[in-house]
Amino acid sequence: MSEEIQSLYEKIKQARQADGSLPEEFSLHPMAENGMRFADGAMDGTVRYHLGPMKNPDISGLCRVMTMASAGKFAEASNALLTHFSTGAIMLQVIDPLQEWIYDHTEELSPKQLLRFAQAILRQSPDIESVKFALTLLETMDNELTPEFRETIETLAISEEFTLFCLFVIDGWPDGAEVIFRLAQRLQGWGRIHAVSFLKPRNEVMRQWLLQVGWRNYVLSDYSAMTCIKRGKLLDQLQEEELSRQAFENARELIGCTLVEGPVPGMEKYKKAGELLEAYIRQAEKLAAEVEDYSSIYDIRAFLAASSLENKESLQAACDRLLESPACTEVTRQAVQQGHGFYFAKAMGMDYAEAAWQSLQRNFAENYGLIDLLLPEKLYVDEIMALFSDRLPLEDMASGPENELGFGEAFADFGILSYMVQTLHCLPGKGEKLILAALESPVIGCRNIALNTLDAWRKADYPLTPALQEELAKLREIEPDEKTKKRLEGF
């Protein structure tokens, strides 16, 4: 193994900060030429929560690696690992069959040699999946918890790419819960999601952390929300007489993450859902003071409508009382005046349009998404077209088609333009100037969104103007992206 190539263990160790975490920008994955890369842990997170293990995987290559390593042929085994994973194989998908093979061949394998090989891979390998292979191997073995071994595992674990595989090992340690808790606090992405899924709180500090922080991550809170509700004992907290405002807001957000079917089972699968929602609504009757509080009750009522809870009718009645209360009306009215709460106001049948339009004008860059409320209702249509045409540098943006993907702050205006053009689906003939700019954009996605909108117009029997037809003909000749060029043939 070349000493010139830095091992992943050393890379992580050198980047580790004083608090034991890694810098936010740290990644084991190189940046691709198009400016994109998988977030550390994202591939395994997708496999764990969405794809699952492979059916009848071919593990013969990995079995040969273990046979070679067991015979002391470490260099050959290491090279064989690199070859195996160079094809794009994912270790997480084959853990179970590989470990079953190990247990079925214990008499043929040398635990001492395999342990030496795995530990060497952990500290010396520059290959991500090879390190995961070593961690998978170690999970099947009796490991002496020496300071060196613990340090190696805990160092690798702070990388979100390796957290899950390290947790398989750490979970069996006598102080595993404490180590996992420390890890969860240091991680922010997929690593935190995995750590929370393993964490079985031993004390009130851990339980409160789950309720206050554990479900918050950079990926999607839904992955951890129900786990935190159960293990943090949210029901017990909500059944207390006195609940702090902060605890109530945490409960509101946690419950909100579980009401709609997501990547993991949510409220509809929770056995104590009726009790939990009853306790939360009772607290809301005392503590509701912001538009977000009443909006959560609205969402709970929508959840109840499709549920089969035994106390469904009483909960719906309690929600109705809150939503029909003068306090709800006044809080929502004040929120609209202050420039927020528009979506809830619309859902409640209250006036919102003029305030939303004023808010859009005041802070265009932050509030352009409010067109979702106005344009489908055909409100302020011409005014909005003029506003977008005025606020966006359309002439500069229409610099000609290129292969730009449009990521980064430099392309923020193209994101706003794309958002607007997409919303024009429901308004055939409106915003032609914006669509023409999108068709001449250097960003591939922006051009394709314009084509989507024009396709929707055609399906609505709107005849494309000569200006649009001329632009499409021009684009067919100069479009650099082959897939987009093929699409243009249909126009």
Side-chain angles (χ1 to χ4, degrees):
M1 198 172 297
S2 173
E3 296 182 357
E4 297 178 2
I5 301 176
Q6 186 181 36
S7 73
L8 298 176
Y9 164 78
E10 288 295 337
K11 185 176 181 179
I12 296 167
K13 187 174 181 179
Q14 287 180 15
R16 184 171 53 197
Q17 302 176 123
D19 65 355
S21 68
L22 290 171
E24 186 176 335
E25 67 277 7
F26 179 88
S27 177
L28 293 179
H29 293 278
M31 187 75 74
E33 291 183 5
N34 60 14
M36 296 180 63
R37 66 180 169 198
F38 263 109
D40 283 0
M43 179 61 75
D44 287 336
T46 301
V47 169
R48 186 184 185 199
Y49 287 100
H50 299 278
L51 300 180
M54 294 178 65
K55 294 182 179 179
N56 303 315
D58 180 7
I59 61 170
S60 58
L62 295 177
C63 296
R64 284 194 295 273
V65 167
M66 284 187 287
T67 301
M68 286 187 282
S70 182
K73 300 176 181 178
F74 289 0
E76 294 93 326
S78 178
N79 289 332
L81 271 182
L82 292 173
T83 300
H84 177 81
F85 290 121
S86 67
T87 63
I90 302 296
M91 188 63 222
L92 187 60
Q93 293 182 305
V94 299
I95 285 180
D96 290 344
L98 184 63
Q99 291 184 340
E100 289 176 10
W101 186 90
I102 294 173
Y103 294 133
D104 289 341
H105 294 79
T106 51
E107 295 182 2
E108 306 164 27
L109 300 173
S110 167
K112 183 178 180 180
Q113 293 285 53
L114 289 177
L115 181 62
R116 286 180 55 211
F117 176 69
Q119 291 178 340
I121 290 293
L122 291 189
R123 284 187 168 251
Q124 298 172 24
S125 179
D127 180 62
I128 289 175
E129 297 300 322
S130 293
V131 171
K132 293 175 184 177
F133 169 85
L135 290 165
T136 299
L137 186 54
L138 287 173
E139 188 191 353
T140 67
M141 308 178 74
D142 292 328
N143 297 282
E144 184 181 355
L145 297 184
T146 63
E148 181 183 24
F149 177 70
R150 289 179 64 106
E151 189 277 338
T152 301
I153 300 298
E154 292 188 42
T155 296
L156 291 169
I158 64 173
S159 165
E160 314 246 5
E161 186 67 38
F162 295 131
T163 306
L164 177 60
F165 286 80
C166 292
L167 288 168
F168 293 141
V169 177
I170 295 170
D171 196 41
W173 294 358
D175 61 341
E178 288 75 15
V179 176
I180 292 171
F181 183 47
R182 289 198 299 272
L183 271 173
Q185 292 173 287
R186 292 169 178 165
L187 300 165
Q188 300 292 336
W190 281 107
R192 172 172 286 187
I193 293 169
H194 297 317
V196 166
S197 74
F198 274 75
L199 180 59
K200 299 174 180 62
R202 299 279 184 87
N203 51 52
E204 189 62 21
V205 172
M206 292 184 184
R207 281 188 285 273
Q208 286 302 314
W209 182 85
L210 285 174
L211 294 179
Q212 296 167 14
V213 183
W215 51 281
R216 303 179 189 273
N217 59 70
Y218 293 159
V219 183
L220 184 67
S221 295
D222 299 24
Y223 285 108
S224 301
M226 186 51 69
T227 297
C228 291
I229 286 173
K230 293 177 180 178
R231 297 181 190 171
K233 297 185 177 180
L234 179 61
L235 176 58
D236 291 350
Q237 186 181 73
L238 289 174
Q239 289 176 333
E240 296 174 1
E241 279 299 316
E242 299 295 328
L243 190 70
S244 71
R245 176 69 202 179
Q246 186 59 60
F248 175 68
E249 290 180 3
N250 286 336
R252 180 189 75 202
E253 294 185 58
L254 262 173
I255 290 172
C257 292
T258 66
L259 295 177
V260 179
E261 183 70 24
V264 294
M267 191 65 67
E268 77 284 354
K269 301 294 185 183
Y270 184 35
K271 293 181 180 179
K272 297 182 179 180
E275 294 177 71
L276 181 73
L277 294 177
E278 181 180 6
Y280 173 75
I281 294 170
R282 189 179 298 118
Q283 292 290 352
E285 291 171 344
K286 296 184 292 183
L287 297 172
E290 300 175 356
V291 71
E292 291 81 7
D293 302 334
Y294 291 103
S295 181
S296 76
I297 296 299
Y298 184 91
D299 292 339
I300 288 172
R301 187 177 66 175
F303 167 81
L304 291 169
S307 76
S308 56
L309 298 179
E310 291 184 3
N311 57 345
K312 170 180 176 175
E313 292 185 4
S314 64
L315 293 181
Q316 286 178 310
C319 289
D320 288 339
R321 286 193 298 272
L322 274 167
L323 294 172
E324 294 167 5
S325 68
C328 176
T329 301
E330 180 58 21
V331 165
T332 307
R333 185 187 65 80
Q334 291 181 8
V336 169
Q337 286 183 342
Q338 295 164 5
H340 64 102
F342 300 119
Y343 287 88
F344 181 62
K346 180 180 180 181
M348 294 297 293
M350 297 175 62
D351 292 337
Y352 70 93
E354 183 177 354
W357 165 236
Q358 295 297 332
S359 186
L360 174 58
Q361 292 179 89
R362 279 196 305 272
N363 195 338
F364 174 76
E366 291 293 326
N367 294 330
Y368 66 87
L370 291 175
I371 60 175
D372 288 342
L373 285 172
L374 301 171
L375 292 183
E377 302 296 327
K378 296 181 172 53
L379 298 171
Y380 299 96
V381 174
D382 292 334
E383 293 89 340
I384 289 173
M385 299 303 138
L387 179 67
F388 272 72
S389 297
D390 179 62
R391 298 294 177 88
L392 292 174
L394 296 181
E395 290 186 8
D396 294 335
M397 297 171 72
S399 59
E402 297 178 26
N403 281 317
E404 292 286 356
L405 294 179
F407 297 107
E409 191 62 32
F411 293 95
D413 285 340
F414 292 96
I416 296 175
L417 178 61
S418 296
Y419 197 93
M420 177 62 184
V421 170
Q422 178 176 279
T423 312
L424 294 176
H425 277 212
C426 60
L427 295 167
K430 293 293 184 180
E432 182 172 304
K433 183 178 179 180
L434 296 164
I435 291 179
L436 287 170
L439 289 172
E440 296 177 14
S441 160
V443 178
I444 299 171
C446 197
R447 298 196 298 277
N448 276 282
I449 287 172
L451 293 178
N452 292 343
T453 296
L454 292 180
D455 195 39
W457 287 7
R458 290 194 309 176
K459 290 176 181 176
D461 294 326
Y462 176 80
L464 300 186
T465 65
L468 286 171
Q469 293 177 2
E470 181 181 343
E471 183 59 39
L472 290 169
K474 172 184 166 185
L475 192 56
R476 276 193 290 270
E477 298 299 322
I478 62 175
E479 173 58 52
D481 179 67
E482 288 302 321
K483 289 185 178 179
T484 305
K485 195 177 185 71
K486 190 172 183 62
R487 282 195 70 187
L488 284 162
E489 294 174 3
F491 283 87

